[in-house]
Amino acid sequence: MTTNLRDELFIVTGVSGRTGAAAADALLKAGKRVRVVVRDATKGAIWCERGAELACANFNDVEALSRAFSGGYGAYIVSPPQYSSDALFEQADAMARNIEEAVANSQLQKVVALSSIGADKRNGTGWIAMNRRLEAYLGRTGIPVSFLRAAYFMENWGPMVHAARHGELSSFLAPLDRKIPMIATEDIGRIAAEALSEDWSNVRILELEGPAQYSPMDVADCVSRALSKLVVPAGVPISSWPQALSGAGFSTAALKGFTEMTKGLNSGHISFVEENAFDRRTGVVSLNAVISAMVASEER
């Protein structure tokens, strides 16, 4: 099928979050036609002002989602986890099935979906099991699908950075000197937009990481520079995780999933597939830039 590049319409979900917003921003800056999908029309107003189309739907409504995808050439999919629900895994599975059906109904030509490092593992991954289910459903649609298996989000450090002004950076990751791949959500969205503009067939896996690997000690050093004061990392004992996360709004099932996922990260069970097994994309945004932006936003 021949497509006029100027007429391609790209659908972006998750624009209320970081990676969806970054993807929509990159596509609009590239002069692409964009339709953002939101649950509440008021959350799409800022995108309409920039020239994007607006569709209202949620992942629990196949008909509305199918209409939102209709006429689109490609879509960026971010399936939102329901961390406050004890049925979050069941809900994620249901949303993945709905997304699969809506993609088929709307006859999209290609899909890029946010997944995670570790989605190749059958067990021992906690929250990442939800990404694995999304991959399973979208992978059987028969259209070209790219799964972005992103490394640990640099922005995950936000709550700990906020609390670090007293001089201590709490860390669930351990050991404190162990470096792991991390990536900024800005880079994830940008790479998603780039991927949508590429041609490929079948299913492909893109592993995403930042310009370097980082440890909790590296994070503490970045916070120290941003605050102009010494901040040291401090590991949170596993026995204290429930108390440390008591204000996060996690259900019992979500807390169990977080614990399993983080243990998997710390043990090395959750990691990229062996070197060069998949297409590796490297971001440009450094951890220092992300941490500095966090601190600056709090000071404004």
Side-chain angles (χ1 to χ4, degrees):
M1 181 178 70
T2 301
T3 305
N4 187 325
L5 293 179
R6 292 175 298 177
D7 294 334
E8 289 177 350
L9 173 64
F10 292 96
I11 314 297
V12 182
T13 68
V15 292
S16 297
R18 294 179 182 273
T19 74
D25 177 67
L27 287 166
L28 287 168
K29 286 179 177 177
K32 304 292 187 180
R33 287 181 60 209
V34 174
R35 178 188 296 155
V36 298
V37 182
V38 295
R39 287 176 296 178
D40 182 346
T42 60
K43 295 182 179 180
I46 188 172
W47 297 104
C48 292
E49 292 172 2
R50 294 186 56 185
E53 298 178 17
L54 177 66
C56 291
N58 66 63
F59 292 125
N60 296 313
D61 187 335
V62 173
E63 291 186 5
L65 197 58
S66 298
R67 289 193 298 270
F69 290 170
S70 180
Y73 177 65
Y76 177 51
I77 304 295
V78 182
S79 184
Q82 312 297 306
Y83 293 126
S84 63
S85 172
D86 267 317
L88 80 160
F89 290 98
E90 293 82 0
Q91 289 173 336
D93 190 80
M95 287 191 291
R97 283 188 277 108
N98 291 342
I99 293 167
E100 176 197 14
E101 185 174 346
V103 166
N105 291 344
S106 60
Q107 298 184 334
L108 283 166
Q109 300 299 300
K110 64 176 72 172
V111 167
V112 174
L114 179 62
S115 186
S116 171
I117 184 174
D120 58 298
K121 302 293 192 301
R122 292 181 178 274
N123 50 52
T125 63
W127 290 352
I128 297 171
M130 294 184 282
N131 299 107
R132 182 176 175 85
R133 296 305 298 156
L134 180 62
E135 288 195 12
Y137 283 111
L138 279 177
R140 66 188 191 185
T141 59
I143 69 170
V145 181
S146 289
F147 294 114
L148 307 184
R149 289 188 182 168
Y152 191 85
F153 288 10
M154 294 177 186
E155 286 80 4
N156 288 346
W157 289 99
M160 285 73 85
V161 170
H162 176 74
R165 293 182 179 275
H166 64 282
E168 187 173 275
L169 178 83
S170 297
S171 175
F172 296 98
L173 295 182
L176 296 177
D177 61 351
R178 178 171 174 261
K179 296 178 184 288
I180 65 169
M182 298 185 191
I183 188 167
T185 52
E186 178 185 339
D187 275 330
I188 297 172
R190 176 184 55 78
I191 293 171
E194 292 173 354
L196 278 171
S197 300
E198 298 170 354
D199 291 321
W200 73 95
S201 59
N202 303 317
V203 172
R204 66 174 180 173
I205 305 297
L206 305 182
E207 295 181 328
L208 312 188
E209 64 178 333
Q213 297 189 2
Y214 304 97
S215 68
M217 292 181 66
D218 294 325
V219 180
D221 287 342
C222 290
V223 178
S224 295
R225 288 193 293 272
L227 292 176
S228 298
K229 64 177 291 184
L230 178 63
V231 173
V232 297
V236 181
I238 294 177
S239 60
S240 299
W241 287 6
Q243 180 181 357
L245 294 167
S246 60
F250 292 159
S251 67
T252 299
L255 179 59
K256 181 179 178 181
F258 171 87
T259 300
E260 183 177 81
M261 177 184 68
T262 308
K263 285 182 176 179
L265 284 165
N266 290 343
S267 70
H269 172 63
I270 297 173
S271 62
F272 283 133
V273 178
E274 64 182 72
E275 193 70 22
N276 299 323
F278 296 121
D279 187 350
R280 185 76 55 85
R281 303 288 175 95
T282 303
V284 298
V285 180
S286 69
L287 177 66
N288 188 63
V290 171
I291 298 298
S292 295
M294 287 180 186
V295 173
S297 67
E298 290 184 0
E299 293 176 346
R300 286 199 292 269

